[in-house]
Amino acid sequence: MAAIQDILRGLTILFNNKDSKLPSVPEVPGLPVIGNLLQLKEKKPFIKFTEWSEQYGPIYSIKAGASTVVVLNSTNVAKEAMVTRYSSISTRKLSKALSILSQDKNMVAMSDHNDFHKMVKRYILANVLGTEAQIRHTCHREAMVDNIVRKLHEHANTTNNQAVNFRKIFVSELFGVALKQAFGKDVESVYVKELGGTISRQDILKILVTDLMEGAIEIDWRDFFPYLQWVPNDKIENKILQIHLRRKAVMNALIQEHKKHIASGEELNCYIDYLLSEAKSLSEDQISMLLWETIIETSDTTLVTTEWAMYELSKHQDKQDQLYQELQSIHANKKITWETLSQLPYLGAVFHETLRKHSPVPIVPLRHCHEDTQLGGYHIPAGNEVAINIYGCNMDKNQWENPEEWMPERFLKGKYDPMDLFKTMAFGGGKRACAGALQAMLIACATIGTLVQQFQWSLAEGEDDNVDTTGLTTHKLHPLLVIPKPRTSSEGLNINCQKR
Ligand code: HEM
């Protein structure tokens, strides 16, 4: 039997891989023409990929219609793709939906590695996400945390220990930070001619964030059969186009509104002012996309992380107590600021363990091999796509003890530098590593720490089992319902509430 397997393997290498002495990657068996598509019909391929890695190892290939996708499931092989072999795997393979929604890769995160990418990455780091920019935006983050605390105290004072929808409060405040970074101020409503009138902040959030995240996971079967691109698929294409046009109309309205402030001489510390005055080589559409990118990226993944962290802390009272003890011994009732985060190792461990177990970006948007290369000792021919299964890397039993368990203590062991943002694969790695990791850490840690300092948290009844996820990022399927019990009365607290 083993001999037959060896002969078959030899033949596969001979025919698939003529120029390389390296073997071809193991293949997950599938059906003719459609390959493994039926096995992936749920919109959570990262779970199936991780299951397959137990049988086929950390690297294997699948067939998605006409494409061969090499799937990577361990930190070592993922890092090899992101760092060592990056120059051969640096282009993006976008679905039809993502091509429309990213307006043909006109975003930092979706662009290929080229001069455009280098330029716009410089812009986003200098104005929004780099250390100095984040220091300039401190007031927005602090106002956000103060507003959340105020709303939660109001809730606790008026409802007598009833559960609160954590997401509803948090997402609205996070969106405020996103708008302030992009436009210098929050927005209550805006007139959008194309939509026939003035739309509310709630609608702006839906059109700029929620609808886009839903549209991004729409699957057009033609993605898997490029030779059938000519076949019309109007329903899906129109849906995505509508999402894109509504986004474009709202962004345009916000930009026009902002130009009126500029004309009146009002100065605001924000990204749009920089892009309009300095980024001369960019078109209006490109400026709109770059601004929108900071809004959607700020409003989504940090919400995912903070919501899951509050879920885990509410479930594990002992861990919540440990965090509270740390906050009391180091901070008493003082405000948590970015300068003091490095003194709070357990808070950092809560953040990283949540990123590990609930990887907000479970799979890196597909990359494309534009030349022959190798990964994990296997030959990878040009034309293959590469899927980096971050969820799989962060749940790898060979790297993490009891990966299913949420155990912040694992990050307190001496081998981790407390301020290293890349302890897990959650933020990716190499040249395309997350540009917003610092912002995500500052917002999530300040929020989680302050909320545990001020309230004792427990899960609402039945919430324990609500662990299902949905979406492109791993959103909790059902918004978190938790009971916040104030540790002290709101009058005694050192909070500086700034309403919108
Ligand atoms: C917990 C929160 C976050 C997680 C887990 C996360 C995860 C990731 C991952 C995995 C990548 C790499 C994609 C790749 O290799 O192709 C990435 C890229 C990126 N992220 Fe994040 N992200 C988070 C928050 C943010 C925030 C708040 C922003 C900005 C407001 C942001 C902006 C970006 C940008 C611009 C890139 C592209 C970098 C490049 O291509 O050079 N991220 N993120």
Side-chain angles (χ1 to χ4, degrees):
M1 184 66 187
I4 296 173
Q5 278 175 345
D6 281 350
I7 293 168
L8 287 175
R9 192 155 175 253
L11 287 174
T12 316
I13 296 169
L14 195 67
F15 289 114
N16 290 350
N17 178 10
K18 296 185 209 80
D19 302 327
S20 170
K21 292 198 172 60
L22 294 173
S24 303
V25 287
E27 286 172 20
V28 178
L31 295 173
V33 185
I34 58 170
N36 304 93
L37 283 179
L38 279 185
Q39 291 145 292
L40 292 168
K41 57 179 194 291
E42 256 198 78
K43 286 184 179 174
K44 279 181 226 165
F46 54 96
I47 307 265
K48 194 77 202 162
F49 287 172
T50 308
E51 276 170 32
W52 278 334
S53 72
E54 304 217 337
Q55 191 176 349
Y56 298 98
I59 167 168
Y60 53 79
S61 74
I62 60 164
K63 281 264 181 219
S67 319
T68 301
V69 183
V70 177
V71 185
L72 311 179
N73 301 279
S74 78
T75 300
N76 281 347
V77 75
K79 281 196 175 155
E80 189 183 348
M82 289 170 157
V83 182
T84 329
R85 315 277 173 215
Y86 175 72
S87 60
S88 313
I89 322 174
S90 61
T91 44
R92 295 270 186 220
K93 173 75 197 310
L94 298 188
S95 64
K96 233 178 163 35
L98 280 179
S99 293
I100 298 173
L101 298 178
S102 67
Q103 217 166 322
D104 280 333
K105 305 188 177 179
N106 266 303
M107 295 170 65
V108 183
M110 294 295 162
S111 61
D112 292 330
H113 188 66
N114 53 25
D115 288 344
F116 173 79
H117 175 259
K118 284 185 204 145
M119 175 179 73
V120 291
K121 186 150 180 184
R122 236 186 13 254
Y123 292 166
I124 202 173
L125 286 172
N127 291 280
V128 188
L129 301 177
T131 310
E132 284 177 24
Q134 279 298 299
I135 293 174
R136 288 200 300 278
H137 294 302
T138 301
C139 56
H140 304 325
R141 293 192 306 275
E142 290 190 347
M144 175 194 106
V145 176
D146 289 350
N147 282 338
I148 294 172
V149 169
R150 178 176 50 78
K151 286 180 184 173
L152 287 167
H153 274 293
E154 274 167 19
H155 169 88
N157 291 340
T158 50
T159 65
N160 193 19
N161 278 347
Q162 276 183 20
V164 66
N165 179 332
F166 178 77
R167 185 183 301 175
K168 202 166 164 196
I169 293 183
F170 186 62
V171 80
S172 167
E173 290 301 325
L174 193 57
F175 185 52
V177 173
L179 290 171
K180 288 175 187 170
Q181 288 181 158
F183 291 105
K185 51 163 68 173
D186 206 334
V187 177
E188 284 304 336
S189 61
V190 69
Y191 174 74
V192 188
K193 193 170 129 219
E194 295 84 339
L195 301 183
T198 299
I199 61 165
S200 66
R201 186 176 186 272
Q202 194 58 30
D203 288 334
I204 303 175
L205 171 62
K206 182 170 177 334
I207 293 172
L208 296 187
V209 180
T210 324
D211 290 352
L212 267 294
M213 293 309 291
E214 279 170 18
I217 50 169
E218 281 297 345
I219 294 179
D220 183 333
W221 57 266
R222 293 171 304 176
D223 288 336
F224 306 113
F225 303 99
Y227 49 87
L228 295 178
Q229 289 296 334
W230 54 273
V231 180
N233 190 5
D234 292 348
K235 189 164 165 242
I236 196 127
E237 206 157 322
N238 287 341
K239 182 176 169 190
I240 301 294
L241 265 177
Q242 282 311 312
I243 293 175
H244 163 62
L245 290 174
R246 285 159 67 85
R247 179 254 322 257
K248 193 172 163 180
V250 171
M251 283 306 296
N252 190 34
L254 291 171
I255 291 171
Q256 295 316 319
E257 201 54 36
H258 187 83
K259 283 183 176 167
K260 289 185 201 156
H261 293 296
I262 298 180
S264 71
E266 192 179 355
E267 271 191 35
L268 297 161
N269 161 26
C270 57
Y271 195 22
I272 184 172
D273 283 358
Y274 176 85
L275 290 176
L276 289 176
S277 64
E278 305 295 329
K280 300 286 183 213
S281 64
L282 296 179
S283 67
E284 282 194 6
D285 273 354
Q286 285 176 319
I287 289 180
S288 168
M289 283 300 292
L290 294 178
L291 281 169
W292 167 77
E293 174 171 18
T294 66
I295 294 175
I296 190 154
E297 284 161 359
T298 297
S299 309
D300 188 72
T301 41
T302 311
L303 158 70
V304 174
T305 313
T306 312
E307 193 178 37
W308 279 117
M310 294 312 293
Y311 165 85
E312 295 288 2
L313 285 166
S314 305
K315 181 171 168 177
H316 300 281
Q317 290 294 321
D318 54 332
K319 316 270 182 212
Q320 190 184 147
D321 288 348
Q322 195 168 337
L323 176 56
Y324 183 62
Q325 292 313 323
E326 175 177 274
L327 293 163
Q328 282 301 91
S329 66
I330 293 166
H331 261 56
N333 267 339
K334 280 188 290 175
K335 201 176 196 124
I336 298 169
T337 63
W338 61 269
E339 290 108 318
T340 51
L341 285 177
S342 60
Q343 300 161 14
L344 298 165
Y346 198 74
L347 177 58
V350 164
F351 174 66
H352 287 288
E353 178 63 346
T354 306
L355 284 175
R356 186 196 64 77
K357 190 176 165 202
H358 302 280
S359 311
V361 180
I363 300 180
V364 171
L366 287 191
R367 300 201 184 160
H368 182 253
C369 262
H370 52 266
E371 59 187 16
D372 281 10
T373 186
Q374 56 174 287
L375 287 171
Y378 293 103
H379 172 72
I380 312 288
N384 276 195
E385 288 161 32
V386 175
I388 300 171
N389 181 13
I390 290 186
Y391 170 86
C393 299
N394 285 342
M395 296 300 271
D396 182 0
K397 291 193 183 88
N398 298 316
Q399 185 181 0
W400 307 100
E401 205 184 322
N402 301 327
E404 294 295 335
E405 248 180 76
W406 187 76
M407 219 165 33
E409 292 71 21
R410 68 173 91 233
F411 289 108
L412 295 178
K413 294 182 189 149
K415 63 177 176 168
Y416 295 104
D417 167 3
M419 292 318 279
D420 175 13
L421 288 169
F422 297 88
K423 295 185 185 67
T424 69
M425 288 303 290
F427 290 124
K431 286 199 164 76
R432 303 306 292 264
C434 178
L438 176 67
Q439 175 181 298
M441 186 275 281
L442 292 175
I443 292 182
C445 287
T447 308
I448 298 162
T450 309
L451 294 186
V452 169
Q453 206 177 29
Q454 310 267 347
F455 301 91
Q456 184 170 8
W457 295 83
S458 50
L459 292 175
E461 216 184 313
E463 189 58 25
D464 209 345
D465 296 331
N466 271 340
V467 288
D468 210 355
T469 61
T470 179
L472 183 67
T473 48
T474 50
H475 270 274
K476 226 176 148 290
L477 176 61
H478 302 290
L480 176 65
L481 296 178
V482 261
I483 303 165
K485 187 168 160 220
R487 294 190 194 266
T488 51
S489 77
S490 51
E491 291 96 285
L493 298 170
N494 178 18
I495 55 173
N496 167 29
C497 299
Q498 295 178 24
K499 294 191 182 165
R500 233 168 258 132

